Amino acid sequence: MNQSSIGRRFVLTTWGESHGKALGAVVDGCPAGLSLCEEDIQGYMDRRSPGKSPFATARKEGDRIQILSGVFEGRTTGTPISMAVFNEDMRSRDYSNIMNIYRPGHADYTFDQKYGFRDYRGGGRSSGRETLCRVAGGAIALRLLADLGIHVTAYTKAIGPVACQDFDESQIANNFLCMPDEQAAKKAEAFLYDCMEKKDSAGGVIEGRITGVPAGLGDPVFGKLDAALAGALMSIGAVKAVEIGDGIQAASSLGSQDNDGFAWEDGRIVKTSNHAGGILGGISDGSDIIFRLYVKPTPSIARPQESVNKNGENISLEIGGRHDPVIVPRAVVVAEAMAGLVIADALLCQASSRMDNLKKLYQKP
Amino acid sequence: MNQSSIGRRFVLTTWGESHGKALGAVVDGCPAGLSLCEEDIQGYMDRRSPGKSPFATARKEGDRIQILSGVFEGRTTGTPISMAVFNEDMRSRDYSNIMNIYRPGHADYTFDQKYGFRDYRGGGRSSGRETLCRVAGGAIALRLLADLGIHVTAYTKAIGPVACQDFDESQIANNFLCMPDEQAAKKAEAFLYDCMEKKDSAGGVIEGRITGVPAGLGDPVFGKLDAALAGALMSIGAVKAVEIGDGIQAASSLGSQDNDGFAWEDGRIVKTSNHAGGILGGISDGSDIIFRLYVKPTPSIARPQESVNKNGENISLEIGGRHDPVIVPRAVVVAEAMAGLVIADALLCQASSRMDNLKKLYQKP
Amino acid sequence: MNQSSIGRRFVLTTWGESHGKALGAVVDGCPAGLSLCEEDIQGYMDRRSPGKSPFATARKEGDRIQILSGVFEGRTTGTPISMAVFNEDMRSRDYSNIMNIYRPGHADYTFDQKYGFRDYRGGGRSSGRETLCRVAGGAIALRLLADLGIHVTAYTKAIGPVACQDFDESQIANNFLCMPDEQAAKKAEAFLYDCMEKKDSAGGVIEGRITGVPAGLGDPVFGKLDAALAGALMSIGAVKAVEIGDGIQAASSLGSQDNDGFAWEDGRIVKTSNHAGGILGGISDGSDIIFRLYVKPTPSIARPQESVNKNGENISLEIGGRHDPVIVPRAVVVAEAMAGLVIADALLCQASSRMDNLKKLYQKP
Amino acid sequence: MNQSSIGRRFVLTTWGESHGKALGAVVDGCPAGLSLCEEDIQGYMDRRSPGKSPFATARKEGDRIQILSGVFEGRTTGTPISMAVFNEDMRSRDYSNIMNIYRPGHADYTFDQKYGFRDYRGGGRSSGRETLCRVAGGAIALRLLADLGIHVTAYTKAIGPVACQDFDESQIANNFLCMPDEQAAKKAEAFLYDCMEKKDSAGGVIEGRITGVPAGLGDPVFGKLDAALAGALMSIGAVKAVEIGDGIQAASSLGSQDNDGFAWEDGRIVKTSNHAGGILGGISDGSDIIFRLYVKPTPSIARPQESVNKNGENISLEIGGRHDPVIVPRAVVVAEAMAGLVIADALLCQASSRMDNLKKLYQKP
């Protein structure tokens, strides 16, 4: 696998820098015959955009996705689907204030160490803006899954210290924070206004649920479905922990509590609980898949921070301009996209894992 | 990447079932000229073996690793290093009690759903015994890293509800639980005896620290170093959550708390704290890399559990025989192995990421 | 490796259809710090374009390459380099004459069988036009190689029955056919005019030479350098055979004739002949690498051909419009590009194959 | 793809050196439920062994293949199939005569250049003996294909200057040279006796035919089926050229000759000729796939050759011992194996390339 791609059969490759000409995504391996148009993808892109949220920086351009290849007469052709968002907001700016310093919590220093120099314009490739390519690619995966009855839903579980106590799915789209709990959303908003006043920032927790996944996806050892999810979700910038099912709680529970029983129900086998979060031995068990990701606070804050410049000087740094006090709500759709990519890939891989499948597809009558 | 392999340049492929003829590992891409012999690897294998621990089932065979290729006159040749452990303990057994039932918390059901049937002998490929191949492959990675001044150390951070309060590295090898805190180890042992009496099992937490990693390893987007670690560590059976640095705590802290400052010290740049756990923007920053994995309780317990058989009957299942009440201590070396594989792979990949590196290696005088 | 990518460390992914919005290429893994601008790449693109050749169809657009990411202040950043050519010539056309028939020698039938339908506009993804993406990606590889003293030169060795008898490198750019033999070029031109008059087409042979390759590139078994070259060159549409060194002749020679001797010369080892074409055991030996590819005649011809339509009818097909009577000269730069990609990839891979290399790059002082 | 593996879904990884403890192969991705036992594979291994041929060196051991994992109760389980051949003939020998010299036509020099040193025992990893692992892996692919009605047959087309004029399939197993032409086989045998007398060696041509391949396998650009075949076949040691269909002849024919017409026949579309060799635009067209590989003469010959040693001396080298005067007949089954691997892999990949395939496999009733 090369460094900017993810997936084995449903492969997403992304490119682009925050303040370059464009950012884009190539999906290679999407099966032929999936109904797809730009509006399908734009819907996901718009969920990532700040809208009127007081907690997100507006960028001028509308981030319009264009499909450049791989779709013909409204259907995917089986060949690479190339998509791009062109940066309209490309006026030349003055970067002299950041090109020689290293912002705490950002990748400025590590990029310089890795490559010898960096594209310092707006964070370049390390900007959160790269996630729009994940969303574009993930949107296609999510549509493919939907055609097969598989759905991914993510939402904000907590903002800073404020966690949801309730789950009302209809609320998710009703507040700027994507929280399924109206009261928690209000408390979290108040908390964020306080953060902003203190020139500080907050993190939070995103939870996701995947329904309709057939049992049997994922591979036994290194290709475990939970391992693929963990890798994909941790690759979202600012994520510092990933859980599956009971996650961290599992470590302090007993076997008799954590094991999910089996039972026959209407002629099929079901689990009587779902501590495992839908994955056993790295393979989907037919229950809902549950995941959680923990997001660190936005590193750009206006408070003074200790840092350095390239001239060998220690400096006090105040990051000007307007910055999102929290990125969690905008990352919700990114989490859905990454989960969708992993499940779609596992589904395509599974197609060739049994001789009876191959015979269904290839055996001559 | 195929399903039973991990890595892009330093690639480990494993094979084998718990009660088959043998289990093995092939390391492809190990650089030529690394000093290596079977004893180097056996040392790691032995750390995985139960020894005299009262908390681990002894298996008769000594799990002797054999190197079958790729090493000549004490050095790696650059070609695939094949290793195997032959199962000596291969008497034919009676599996009729497990072949038609699904054990809770195990992969029996998901394997059947995935493949249509399964090798039910001792869990087949889903047995924890597959981890000995990870340790064999990881041992080579760890030796390679050691030659370059990079070291991985893992230990048990918690067993069930008992967490270490102290860190005394010399204690790790002094108790059966690999805990760096003598008092905690004693409490945890008492807790485990209680579990065993109740025919129950426990989980726990493993923490690891990687020192000496040069800044610049890892790739910006999908190939982030923390993403690779998360995927590799989550692929260890029974792991339900993975953290990097402050991990879950980061989600409820503020930007001003979570950001690590930079400072010039003795002519080089250092971080003034390490909440990030050594990785910024997916790339190593030269600080220690800190990771944590959360392990669920051993699913095999002797208490009655509700389950099903293939005849459409609900059953009450009591798993006989002796089973480890906790697998955490034996997984410590597995975590080191997986972390070692990830870092070695990133190191090899980085070799070709800069023109100045290539010129050092190839430019004619 | 996904289907539309090539390479392990220097990875080219291409996308786009002949008559879609655009075609493009993403190079992932190009080392940071390579000097690069659009004009560097355009030079190669122009060599693929028909120019004023009477043997090549002009397409209106100039095939201007744009770099969309991965280059900053004139140097590659180490992140993906995205390039695109936008199709300006996009007026809606009438494809009713080809959408329901299968052209002999083309991929119309096989695309329909593979995907269930196809983008029939101008051949879609199977058009020769996809090679412009290979050239764009290859141009970057060739520049990287040039920086390290490695050069790839290809030319037309034969057109139909007319083969070069002489090698005068200065002639290659002096005739429309890229032949290094003035007399042969004249004969071949006459032959092609005759083909065109007969509404027929011709094939030919391309030969390439790679100089300056260090000994040691390529891997022993499946990753042999000649295997990689053969795969890459055969992937160019219309190529039906690939040779390395003496190629086909080697099969009828004797061991005493085919073996290349070794000798010490000025303190270094040289080969006293080069029947092997610069590769021994799949690994470069420091001599020039020699390859040849055999290209079939252009399948689009105006003569009547027997074919079928989708209505179950046998038809006589005459392909109207103007078509290249030979594609060989335009494929010369494509062959250079593919060879360049293979050598660059092998060079990057080799960087991590020896411990002494790693120590040069990473060992602390 | 790592260096010692081939395939994307049906992946073969091989390991082992000529005079090491063992050689082996791991097949990862073989679908579950294929009937398989050691005897199935041994049949192919035996075809590679010298038998009583006067043109092949006998090695003492019988090259017995052992299956170590991945098969349970006579069927593949879907997990990695590990196989090994243990070298019984392991007495310590004296290699002082070859360890410091470079044999012409062998990989001694290039291995030393690549890795800094080499396992010089019997050629180590560069020995023709590595092909037994290809045959073991290929045997599984060939069985899988046979279950779906796809068959690969290869044979010797020419030995040195003696080419078959006739094709009688029943003859292939009737002579030591695997030639389908009794008269040609006799002439070729006489030619080889003459070579042996002159202490020289010969090369030859292998042709293969794959029947029953469904239309639609292979990918449009870099993953073309002919490209994959070319890469796989060229990776067999000593192969210097690969052809598909008319191959080299295509380059000098006209479009009107080379194009294969289409016709409706019994309600389905057929080609009226097969110059293309069963592949159009890189995708199988349902006709037989035809390939040819050109093998150089065995490099080990007893005649004096000019070479060098590591002490800086030019030497005259006579390679003692008994060596095959030709390797072509033993490479026939290797060619079948490699072709089988490529087709099996393309077949598995194709399973996920269409939404209608996925719906057949996954859509809920």
Side-chain angles (χ1 to χ4, degrees):
Chain A
M1 183 53 48
N2 43 319
Q3 48 264 52
S4 297
S5 299
I6 191 164
R8 294 177 294 169
R9 294 298 298 154
F10 191 102
V11 181
L12 172 65
T13 302
T14 72
W15 53 267
E17 290 89 33
S18 179
H19 287 53
K21 282 194 191 169
L23 295 102
V26 181
V27 170
D28 194 15
C30 182
L34 176 69
S35 166
L36 188 74
C37 67
E38 285 174 353
E39 287 318 302
D40 295 330
I41 300 165
Q42 190 64 43
Y44 288 89
M45 303 296 287
D46 292 346
R47 285 180 53 203
R48 190 190 155 278
S49 81
K52 295 179 176 171
S53 170
F55 309 117
T57 335
R59 186 160 165 144
K60 291 277 168 38
E61 58 248 44
D63 288 350
R64 291 297 308 174
I65 196 80
Q66 296 186 32
I67 296 179
L68 300 174
S69 71
V71 176
F72 181 60
E73 298 183 340
R75 284 184 298 169
T76 57
T77 60
T79 61
I81 304 169
S82 175
M83 297 172 285
V85 168
F86 287 84
N87 288 330
E88 298 160 11
D89 190 13
M90 285 277 298
R91 70 177 183 281
S92 128
R93 300 176 209 202
D94 181 10
Y95 296 101
S96 54
N97 60 329
I98 64 162
M99 58 188 285
N100 290 313
I101 58 111
Y102 294 130
R103 292 169 298 164
H106 280 280
D108 302 340
Y109 174 68
T110 54
F111 265 61
D112 268 12
Q113 288 292 307
K114 180 176 191 64
Y115 296 120
F117 70 107
R118 72 183 193 276
D119 178 347
Y120 45 73
R121 300 168 303 167
R125 179 90 176 137
S126 74
S127 165
R129 199 161 159 68
E130 61 89 356
T131 58
L132 67 81
C133 304
R134 298 173 185 249
V135 173
I140 300 177
L142 291 165
R143 277 197 65 81
L144 183 158
L145 295 175
D147 260 26
L148 299 165
I150 303 169
H151 299 278
V152 183
T153 310
Y155 42 85
T156 300
K157 182 86 174 176
I159 294 286
V162 185
C164 291
Q165 304 300 323
D166 194 17
F167 182 82
D168 175 355
E169 191 166 345
S170 70
Q171 286 298 317
I172 298 173
N174 266 358
N175 58 75
F176 292 123
L177 301 176
C178 306
M179 295 181 98
D181 174 339
E182 196 179 359
Q183 294 311 310
K186 281 183 184 160
K187 280 187 212 162
E189 292 191 6
F191 171 75
L192 286 175
Y193 281 116
D194 191 50
C195 273
M196 289 163 79
E197 204 163 302
K198 292 176 177 153
K199 299 182 175 178
D200 216 327
S201 65
V205 185
I206 295 169
E207 186 171 81
R209 175 178 300 268
I210 316 175
T211 61
V213 181
L217 305 192
D219 288 303
V221 177
F222 299 120
K224 285 191 166 86
L225 193 60
D226 38 2
L229 280 168
L233 295 170
M234 190 70 95
S235 81
I236 303 172
V239 173
K240 299 302 288 182
V242 176
E243 290 183 316
I244 303 294
D246 282 4
I248 282 176
Q249 299 301 327
S252 54
S253 73
L254 298 172
S256 59
Q257 298 164 331
D258 188 64
N259 282 349
D260 301 312
F262 289 105
W264 281 97
E265 202 176 280
D266 300 331
R268 47 193 285 278
I269 294 169
V270 296
K271 280 169 36 193
T272 55
S273 59
N274 190 18
H275 299 289
I279 300 175
L280 279 171
I283 301 172
S284 62
D285 65 18
S287 312
D288 289 356
I289 293 176
I290 310 294
F291 61 85
R292 241 161 276 112
L293 39 160
Y294 292 77
V295 183
K296 74 174 186 178
T298 321
S300 288
I301 55 174
R303 295 184 119 188
Q305 300 183 80
E306 54 181 355
S307 190
V308 294
N309 64 22
K310 293 190 184 177
N311 306 328
E313 297 165 324
N314 292 322
I315 60 170
S316 173
L317 177 69
E318 292 174 47
I319 299 177
R322 199 165 166 274
H323 293 279
D324 294 12
V326 72
I327 60 164
V328 172
R330 297 181 70 183
V332 165
V333 69
V334 181
E336 287 185 10
M338 295 311 297
L341 288 164
V342 168
I343 302 298
D345 190 48
L347 197 85
L348 269 60
C349 287
Q350 174 64 3
S352 67
S353 69
R354 293 171 62 153
M355 282 305 289
D356 50 7
N357 279 359
L358 292 185
K359 287 183 180 170
K360 261 184 224 167
L361 300 177
Y362 296 118
Q363 206 157 51
K364 285 126 194 168
Chain B
M1 185 51 47
N2 44 319
Q3 47 264 53
S4 298
S5 298
I6 192 164
R8 296 178 294 170
R9 293 298 298 155
F10 191 101
V11 182
L12 171 66
T13 302
T14 71
W15 53 267
E17 289 89 34
S18 178
H19 289 52
K21 282 194 191 169
L23 296 101
V26 181
V27 171
D28 194 15
C30 182
L34 177 69
S35 164
L36 189 74
C37 67
E38 287 174 353
E39 287 318 301
D40 295 328
I41 300 165
Q42 191 62 45
Y44 289 90
M45 304 297 287
D46 292 346
R47 285 180 51 203
R48 190 191 154 278
S49 82
K52 295 181 176 170
S53 170
F55 309 118
T57 335
R59 187 161 164 143
K60 291 276 167 41
E61 58 248 46
D63 289 350
R64 290 297 308 175
I65 196 79
Q66 295 187 32
I67 296 178
L68 300 175
S69 71
V71 177
F72 181 60
E73 298 184 339
R75 285 184 298 168
T76 58
T77 61
T79 62
I81 304 169
S82 174
M83 297 171 285
V85 168
F86 287 83
N87 288 330
E88 297 159 13
D89 189 13
M90 285 276 299
R91 67 176 186 282
S92 129
R93 301 176 208 202
D94 181 11
Y95 296 100
S96 55
N97 60 331
I98 64 160
M99 59 188 284
N100 290 314
I101 57 111
Y102 295 129
R103 292 170 297 164
H106 279 279
D108 302 340
Y109 174 69
T110 53
F111 265 61
D112 268 12
Q113 289 291 307
K114 180 175 192 64
Y115 296 121
F117 72 106
R118 73 182 192 278
D119 178 347
Y120 45 72
R121 301 168 302 167
R125 179 89 175 136
S126 73
S127 164
R129 199 159 160 68
E130 61 91 355
T131 58
L132 67 80
C133 304
R134 298 174 185 250
V135 173
I140 300 177
L142 292 165
R143 277 196 65 82
L144 183 158
L145 295 175
D147 260 25
L148 298 166
I150 303 169
H151 299 278
V152 183
T153 310
Y155 43 85
T156 300
K157 180 86 174 176
I159 295 285
V162 185
C164 291
Q165 305 299 324
D166 194 17
F167 181 81
D168 175 354
E169 191 167 344
S170 70
Q171 285 298 317
I172 299 173
N174 264 359
N175 58 76
F176 292 124
L177 301 177
C178 306
M179 295 180 98
D181 173 339
E182 195 180 359
Q183 294 310 311
K186 281 183 184 159
K187 282 187 210 161
E189 292 192 7
F191 170 75
L192 286 175
Y193 281 116
D194 191 50
C195 274
M196 289 163 80
E197 203 162 305
K198 292 176 177 154
K199 300 183 176 179
D200 217 328
S201 65
V205 185
I206 294 169
E207 187 171 80
R209 176 178 299 269
I210 316 175
T211 60
V213 181
L217 305 192
D219 288 303
V221 177
F222 299 121
K224 284 191 166 86
L225 192 61
D226 38 3
L229 279 168
L233 295 170
M234 190 70 97
S235 82
I236 303 172
V239 173
K240 301 301 288 182
V242 176
E243 290 183 316
I244 303 293
D246 281 5
I248 283 176
Q249 300 302 329
S252 53
S253 73
L254 299 172
S256 59
Q257 298 165 330
D258 187 65
N259 282 348
D260 301 312
F262 289 105
W264 282 98
E265 202 177 281
D266 300 330
R268 47 193 286 276
I269 294 169
V270 297
K271 281 168 39 193
T272 55
S273 59
N274 191 15
H275 299 289
I279 300 177
L280 279 172
I283 301 172
S284 62
D285 65 16
S287 311
D288 289 357
I289 293 177
I290 310 293
F291 60 85
R292 243 162 273 111
L293 37 161
Y294 292 77
V295 183
K296 74 174 186 178
T298 320
S300 289
I301 55 174
R303 297 183 118 189
Q305 300 182 83
E306 54 181 354
S307 190
V308 295
N309 63 22
K310 293 191 184 176
N311 306 327
E313 296 165 324
N314 292 322
I315 59 170
S316 173
L317 176 69
E318 294 174 45
I319 299 177
R322 197 160 167 278
H323 293 279
D324 294 11
V326 72
I327 60 164
V328 172
R330 296 181 69 182
V332 165
V333 69
V334 181
E336 286 185 11
M338 295 311 297
L341 288 164
V342 168
I343 303 299
D345 190 48
L347 197 85
L348 268 59
C349 287
Q350 174 65 5
S352 66
S353 69
R354 293 171 62 154
M355 283 303 289
D356 50 7
N357 279 358
L358 293 185
K359 286 182 180 172
K360 262 184 224 166
L361 300 177
Y362 295 118
Q363 206 157 49
K364 285 126 195 167
Chain C
M1 185 52 46
N2 43 320
Q3 48 264 51
S4 299
S5 298
I6 191 165
R8 296 178 293 169
R9 293 298 298 155
F10 191 101
V11 182
L12 171 65
T13 302
T14 71
W15 53 267
E17 290 88 34
S18 179
H19 288 53
K21 281 193 191 169
L23 296 101
V26 181
V27 171
D28 194 15
C30 181
L34 176 69
S35 164
L36 188 74
C37 68
E38 287 175 352
E39 287 318 301
D40 295 328
I41 300 166
Q42 190 63 44
Y44 288 90
M45 304 296 287
D46 292 345
R47 285 181 51 204
R48 191 191 154 278
S49 82
K52 295 180 178 172
S53 170
F55 310 117
T57 336
R59 186 159 165 146
K60 292 276 168 42
E61 59 248 45
D63 289 350
R64 291 297 308 173
I65 196 78
Q66 295 186 32
I67 296 177
L68 301 174
S69 71
V71 177
F72 181 60
E73 298 184 338
R75 284 184 298 168
T76 58
T77 60
T79 62
I81 305 168
S82 175
M83 297 172 285
V85 168
F86 287 84
N87 289 330
E88 297 160 12
D89 189 14
M90 285 277 297
R91 69 177 185 282
S92 129
R93 300 176 209 203
D94 181 10
Y95 296 100
S96 55
N97 60 330
I98 64 161
M99 59 188 285
N100 290 314
I101 57 109
Y102 293 130
R103 292 170 299 164
H106 279 280
D108 302 341
Y109 174 69
T110 54
F111 265 61
D112 267 13
Q113 289 292 307
K114 180 175 191 66
Y115 296 120
F117 71 106
R118 74 183 192 277
D119 178 346
Y120 45 72
R121 300 168 303 166
R125 179 88 176 137
S126 73
S127 164
R129 199 161 160 68
E130 61 91 353
T131 57
L132 66 80
C133 304
R134 298 173 186 250
V135 173
I140 300 176
L142 291 166
R143 276 196 66 80
L144 183 157
L145 295 176
D147 261 26
L148 298 166
I150 302 170
H151 299 278
V152 183
T153 310
Y155 43 85
T156 300
K157 180 86 174 177
I159 294 286
V162 185
C164 292
Q165 304 300 325
D166 194 18
F167 182 81
D168 175 354
E169 191 166 344
S170 70
Q171 286 297 318
I172 299 174
N174 265 359
N175 59 76
F176 291 124
L177 301 177
C178 305
M179 295 179 97
D181 173 340
E182 196 179 359
Q183 294 311 312
K186 281 183 185 160
K187 281 188 212 161
E189 292 192 8
F191 170 75
L192 286 176
Y193 280 117
D194 190 50
C195 273
M196 289 163 80
E197 204 164 303
K198 291 176 177 155
K199 299 182 176 180
D200 216 328
S201 65
V205 185
I206 295 168
E207 188 171 80
R209 176 179 300 269
I210 316 174
T211 61
V213 181
L217 304 192
D219 288 304
V221 177
F222 299 121
K224 285 192 165 85
L225 193 61
D226 38 3
L229 280 168
L233 295 170
M234 190 70 97
S235 82
I236 304 172
V239 173
K240 300 302 288 183
V242 176
E243 289 182 317
I244 303 294
D246 282 4
I248 283 176
Q249 300 302 328
S252 53
S253 73
L254 299 173
S256 58
Q257 298 164 330
D258 188 65
N259 281 349
D260 302 312
F262 288 105
W264 281 98
E265 203 177 279
D266 299 332
R268 48 194 286 277
I269 294 170
V270 296
K271 280 169 38 192
T272 55
S273 58
N274 191 16
H275 298 289
I279 300 175
L280 279 171
I283 301 172
S284 62
D285 64 18
S287 312
D288 289 356
I289 293 177
I290 310 293
F291 60 84
R292 242 161 274 112
L293 38 161
Y294 291 78
V295 183
K296 74 174 186 178
T298 320
S300 289
I301 54 174
R303 297 184 117 188
Q305 300 183 81
E306 53 182 353
S307 190
V308 295
N309 64 22
K310 294 191 184 175
N311 306 328
E313 297 165 324
N314 291 322
I315 60 170
S316 173
L317 176 69
E318 293 173 45
I319 299 177
R322 196 160 168 278
H323 293 279
D324 294 10
V326 71
I327 59 164
V328 172
R330 298 180 69 183
V332 165
V333 68
V334 182
E336 287 185 12
M338 296 309 298
L341 288 164
V342 168
I343 302 298
D345 190 48
L347 197 84
L348 268 60
C349 287
Q350 174 65 5
S352 67
S353 69
R354 293 170 63 154
M355 283 303 289
D356 50 7
N357 280 358
L358 293 184
K359 287 183 180 169
K360 260 184 226 167
L361 300 177
Y362 294 119
Q363 206 156 50
K364 286 126 195 167
Chain D
M1 186 50 49
N2 44 319
Q3 47 265 51
S4 298
S5 299
I6 191 164
R8 294 178 294 170
R9 293 300 296 155
F10 191 101
V11 181
L12 171 65
T13 302
T14 71
W15 53 267
E17 290 89 34
S18 179
H19 288 53
K21 282 194 190 168
L23 296 101
V26 181
V27 171
D28 194 14
C30 182
L34 176 70
S35 166
L36 188 74
C37 68
E38 286 174 353
E39 287 318 301
D40 295 330
I41 300 165
Q42 191 63 44
Y44 288 90
M45 304 296 288
D46 292 346
R47 285 180 51 204
R48 190 190 154 279
S49 82
K52 295 180 178 172
S53 170
F55 310 117
T57 336
R59 187 161 162 142
K60 291 277 166 39
E61 59 248 46
D63 288 350
R64 291 297 308 174
I65 195 79
Q66 296 186 32
I67 296 178
L68 300 174
S69 72
V71 177
F72 180 60
E73 297 183 341
R75 284 184 299 168
T76 57
T77 61
T79 61
I81 305 169
S82 175
M83 297 172 286
V85 168
F86 287 83
N87 289 330
E88 298 160 12
D89 190 11
M90 285 277 297
R91 69 177 184 281
S92 129
R93 302 176 208 201
D94 181 10
Y95 295 101
S96 54
N97 60 331
I98 63 162
M99 57 189 284
N100 290 313
I101 58 110
Y102 295 130
R103 292 170 297 164
H106 279 280
D108 301 340
Y109 174 69
T110 53
F111 265 61
D112 268 12
Q113 289 291 308
K114 180 176 191 65
Y115 296 120
F117 71 106
R118 73 183 193 277
D119 178 347
Y120 46 73
R121 300 167 302 166
R125 180 87 177 137
S126 73
S127 164
R129 200 161 159 68
E130 61 88 357
T131 58
L132 67 80
C133 304
R134 298 174 185 249
V135 173
I140 300 177
L142 291 166
R143 277 197 65 81
L144 183 159
L145 295 176
D147 260 26
L148 298 166
I150 303 169
H151 299 278
V152 183
T153 310
Y155 42 86
T156 300
K157 181 86 174 175
I159 295 286
V162 185
C164 291
Q165 305 300 323
D166 194 18
F167 182 82
D168 175 354
E169 190 166 345
S170 70
Q171 285 298 318
I172 299 173
N174 265 358
N175 58 76
F176 291 124
L177 301 176
C178 305
M179 295 181 98
D181 174 340
E182 196 180 358
Q183 294 310 311
K186 281 183 185 160
K187 280 187 212 163
E189 292 192 7
F191 170 75
L192 286 175
Y193 280 117
D194 191 49
C195 274
M196 289 162 80
E197 204 163 303
K198 292 175 178 155
K199 299 183 176 177
D200 216 328
S201 64
V205 185
I206 294 169
E207 187 171 80
R209 177 178 299 269
I210 316 174
T211 61
V213 181
L217 305 192
D219 287 304
V221 177
F222 299 121
K224 285 192 166 85
L225 193 60
D226 38 4
L229 280 168
L233 296 170
M234 190 70 96
S235 81
I236 304 172
V239 173
K240 299 302 288 182
V242 177
E243 290 182 316
I244 303 294
D246 282 4
I248 282 177
Q249 300 302 327
S252 54
S253 73
L254 299 172
S256 59
Q257 298 164 332
D258 188 65
N259 281 350
D260 301 312
F262 289 107
W264 281 97
E265 202 176 280
D266 300 331
R268 47 194 285 277
I269 293 169
V270 295
K271 279 169 38 192
T272 55
S273 58
N274 191 17
H275 298 290
I279 300 175
L280 279 172
I283 301 172
S284 62
D285 64 19
S287 312
D288 290 356
I289 294 176
I290 310 294
F291 60 84
R292 240 162 276 113
L293 38 160
Y294 292 77
V295 183
K296 74 174 186 178
T298 320
S300 289
I301 53 174
R303 298 183 118 189
Q305 300 182 81
E306 54 182 353
S307 190
V308 295
N309 64 22
K310 294 190 183 175
N311 306 329
E313 297 165 324
N314 291 322
I315 59 170
S316 173
L317 177 69
E318 292 174 45
I319 299 177
R322 197 162 167 276
H323 293 279
D324 294 12
V326 71
I327 60 164
V328 172
R330 297 181 70 182
V332 164
V333 69
V334 181
E336 287 185 10
M338 295 310 297
L341 288 164
V342 169
I343 303 297
D345 189 48
L347 197 86
L348 268 60
C349 287
Q350 174 64 4
S352 67
S353 70
R354 293 171 61 154
M355 282 305 288
D356 49 8
N357 279 358
L358 293 184
K359 286 183 180 171
K360 261 184 223 166
L361 300 177
Y362 295 118
Q363 205 157 52
K364 286 127 194 165

